[in-house]
Amino acid sequence: MLNKRNIYFIVVIAAEFMFLPVLLIWCIMIRLRMSLRGISKRPNIFMGTMHINNWTNVVKALRMKGYDVALVVWSPPAHEINVVPYDLVLSKRYPFLFRSKYTRFLLQIFLFLWSTWYFDLFIMCFKDRLLDRSILLRWVELQLIQLAGKKIILNTYGDDIMTPHMTLGTKYKYSVLEGFLKDRDYANRDECLVLKNRNYCQKWADYIVSAIDHVQYLERIDDCLHMRCVDLAEFTPACETSNSIPVIAHAPNHRLFKGTAYLIKAVDELNEEGVHCTLNIIEQRPHNEVLEGISCADIAADQFLVGAYARFAIESMALCKPVVCYLRDDLFELNPVWEESPIVNANPDNLKEKLKELILMSPTERSYIGKNGRAYVEKYHSIEYIGNRMHEIIARVWFADKVKIL
């Protein structure tokens, strides 16, 4: 018996078969157009369509290097609309097209046609690509982009490539798998589909950029680069505070994956033992309030399950705060810059002791760690550094080492 879901699949699959020859002809036309005009010295860059708010800094970095870049997102969460400076938010620009699955499908097709016409190089994640919301066309999307003479750089986000049940299993005492098992939305996640998509992307991407814990899921990495970056001009160091009792800032976007329960337990036990501290959990708050909370804190606590640091730790170090975070031992070899990191490495087993050491330090001692963190961010997570590294990668991909980029 046909229901609405089955009818939708039938209609969309039929439409995809109908559009496929159109897209093929379109891409061939674009390739001919590119051959006539010749290769441009600086490719126009499309970034999207996943809502990664830190990519706004990557865009800024690339524009500083002279690139024409557009950051286009499909449908970010409500708290990011009109707050995060994306160049184009499709759900906001075309709300009438988001009212129906059928019109959203047509928007995908239009997005593909428009982007392949105006842009030369695509920086995307492994999911939420141009045609990733389709049923069949998603499996020929990258081939079509390449047929049009364009280049593709894929950067891992995390959820787009993670298969913790398959890859991690019970190998580690603490890992992100714990969060996946406890979270109802992730416990029954189809990792076979994630694996299929990951293999597809690894096969067809021109270049893959990845780092931190993401590298353990990939068979192919062309450049180990953690693309999270900050504009240090926007971060005024706040090395010391006037707090009589040390304050620990923690901003979990997902408590189960950050190991927040372990942090709360450690802080409670320390206070019971007379090592007094205050835990400030900054949750579901605007970004400016998160930064204010970090600035007013003495210590920043990131995560204790994933095994790698991300945006919160980077911004905390930029504000000169000592950061405590779990960095998994076997990931250091795959992330060599970690050897220079001043992050205090703590897992759930030793978290209480590591926090105790930081709490009992003098403000001057904590400030010293914080300043080293700021220097680390300047070296590996500033927009200048990421801009230079991405400039090198783009040159390598776009010109295939045949022409020196100007």
Side-chain angles (χ1 to χ4, degrees):
M1 182 176 178
L2 292 177
N3 54 33
K4 289 184 177 179
R5 179 181 175 84
N6 290 335
I7 292 172
Y8 169 75
F9 274 102
I10 293 171
V11 171
V12 169
I13 288 174
E16 291 187 19
F17 273 113
M18 180 184 70
F19 274 107
L20 180 56
V22 175
L23 297 179
L24 283 168
I25 294 170
W26 176 263
C27 291
I28 292 170
M29 288 173 53
I30 292 175
R31 191 180 189 97
L32 291 173
R33 172 175 171 257
M34 288 187 68
S35 65
L36 291 173
R37 76 177 187 183
I39 190 168
S40 59
K41 292 182 179 179
R42 288 189 183 273
N44 295 332
I45 299 173
F46 176 97
M47 294 183 66
T49 61
M50 184 182 284
H51 52 277
I52 305 176
N53 48 33
N54 191 255
W55 269 11
T56 58
N57 287 328
V58 179
V59 168
K60 184 186 292 187
L62 291 174
R63 285 174 179 160
M64 288 171 61
K65 301 300 292 185
Y67 290 99
D68 184 359
V69 190
L71 178 54
V72 180
V73 298
W74 184 257
S75 182
H79 68 270
E80 288 190 358
I81 297 176
N82 299 323
V83 176
V84 180
Y86 298 119
D87 296 319
L88 174 61
V89 176
L90 293 170
S91 60
K92 179 184 176 183
R93 177 71 65 86
Y94 306 107
F96 58 96
L97 293 177
F98 274 77
R99 295 171 187 167
S100 163
K101 293 180 180 179
Y102 301 102
T103 51
R104 287 199 295 272
F105 168 75
L106 292 176
L107 181 57
Q108 281 189 90
I109 300 298
F110 171 77
L111 177 63
F112 183 88
L113 297 175
W114 170 75
S115 60
T116 50
W117 180 264
Y118 285 104
F119 299 96
D120 306 306
L121 187 144
F122 292 76
I123 300 176
M124 301 183 290
C125 291
F126 279 58
K127 74 173 186 178
D128 285 359
R129 305 183 311 270
L130 299 175
L131 298 175
D132 191 44
R133 297 162 188 84
S134 63
I135 299 171
L136 300 176
L137 292 177
R138 62 184 299 185
W139 303 111
V140 295
E141 173 192 346
L142 302 183
Q143 298 96 306
L144 287 170
I145 293 173
Q146 291 174 336
L147 177 62
K150 314 298 182 174
K151 297 292 185 179
I152 304 160
I153 296 175
L154 295 185
N155 175 232
T156 55
Y157 172 71
D159 178 54
D160 56 337
I161 48 93
M162 283 183 172
T163 50
H165 294 84
M166 291 181 178
T167 306
L168 304 181
T170 57
K171 184 178 180 181
Y172 304 100
K173 183 177 182 180
Y174 299 108
S175 76
V176 73
L177 177 60
E178 181 176 321
F180 274 76
L181 292 173
K182 291 180 179 178
D183 188 280
R184 289 180 296 178
D185 294 332
Y186 283 89
N188 298 318
R189 186 166 175 259
D190 188 351
E191 290 192 357
C192 290
L193 181 59
V194 176
L195 176 62
K196 181 181 179 182
N197 180 67
R198 191 173 74 207
N199 289 339
Y200 166 73
C201 291
Q202 289 184 114
K203 180 178 180 180
W204 291 103
D206 291 293
Y207 209 83
I208 293 176
V209 178
S210 185
I212 56 176
D213 58 309
H214 303 173
V215 296
Q216 66 194 319
Y217 301 101
L218 300 174
E219 295 177 2
R220 172 191 166 195
I221 303 168
D222 298 306
D223 207 305
C224 185
L225 174 65
H226 193 178
M227 279 175 56
R228 297 291 187 273
C229 60
V230 295
D231 185 349
L232 286 164
E234 299 176 356
F235 288 76
T236 302
C239 298
E240 297 184 17
T241 70
S242 58
N243 299 322
S244 56
I245 297 176
V247 174
I248 302 168
H250 177 60
N253 53 359
H254 202 306
R255 288 194 178 205
L256 292 176
F257 290 95
K258 293 286 187 176
T260 302
Y262 293 110
L263 177 62
I264 293 173
K265 181 175 181 289
V267 169
D268 287 345
E269 290 180 358
L270 285 170
N271 278 299
E272 289 174 4
E273 295 173 7
V275 182
H276 297 294
C277 58
T278 301
L279 177 59
N280 179 22
I281 298 180
I282 315 161
E283 204 167 20
Q284 297 180 344
R285 305 305 303 164
H287 185 233
N288 64 314
E289 293 186 22
V290 175
L291 295 181
E292 182 180 351
I294 298 171
S295 294
C296 295
D298 302 278
I299 300 164
D302 189 4
Q303 62 73 30
F304 308 99
L305 289 176
V306 176
Y309 67 84
R311 183 181 182 183
F312 177 78
I314 293 169
E315 292 182 338
S316 298
M317 287 188 284
L319 290 167
C320 283
K321 302 299 177 180
V323 173
V324 57
C325 176
Y326 177 36
L327 302 179
R328 217 173 66 213
D329 291 343
D330 61 314
L331 291 175
F332 272 76
E333 183 179 355
L334 300 169
N335 296 274
V337 301
W338 286 9
E339 297 293 345
E340 301 178 42
S341 167
I343 290 175
V344 177
N345 194 356
N347 61 43
D349 288 335
N350 62 8
L351 177 57
K352 185 175 78 170
E353 292 306 313
K354 296 290 185 177
L355 284 175
K356 183 177 180 179
E357 292 174 9
L358 286 169
I359 292 166
L360 296 179
M361 283 182 183
S362 68
T364 302
E365 290 174 312
R366 286 196 295 266
S367 176
Y368 178 78
I369 297 174
K371 289 176 180 177
N372 286 339
R374 173 86 178 194
Y376 179 78
V377 171
E378 289 175 353
K379 188 172 182 179
Y380 294 115
H381 293 290
S382 66
I383 58 172
E384 291 81 9
Y385 174 78
I386 296 300
N388 288 334
R389 287 293 310 277
M390 288 303 297
H391 182 58
E392 295 170 359
I393 290 171
I394 291 167
R396 198 173 302 133
V397 174
W398 183 240
F399 293 99
D401 297 324
K402 293 179 182 179
V403 181
K404 184 178 180 180
I405 195 167
L406 299 180

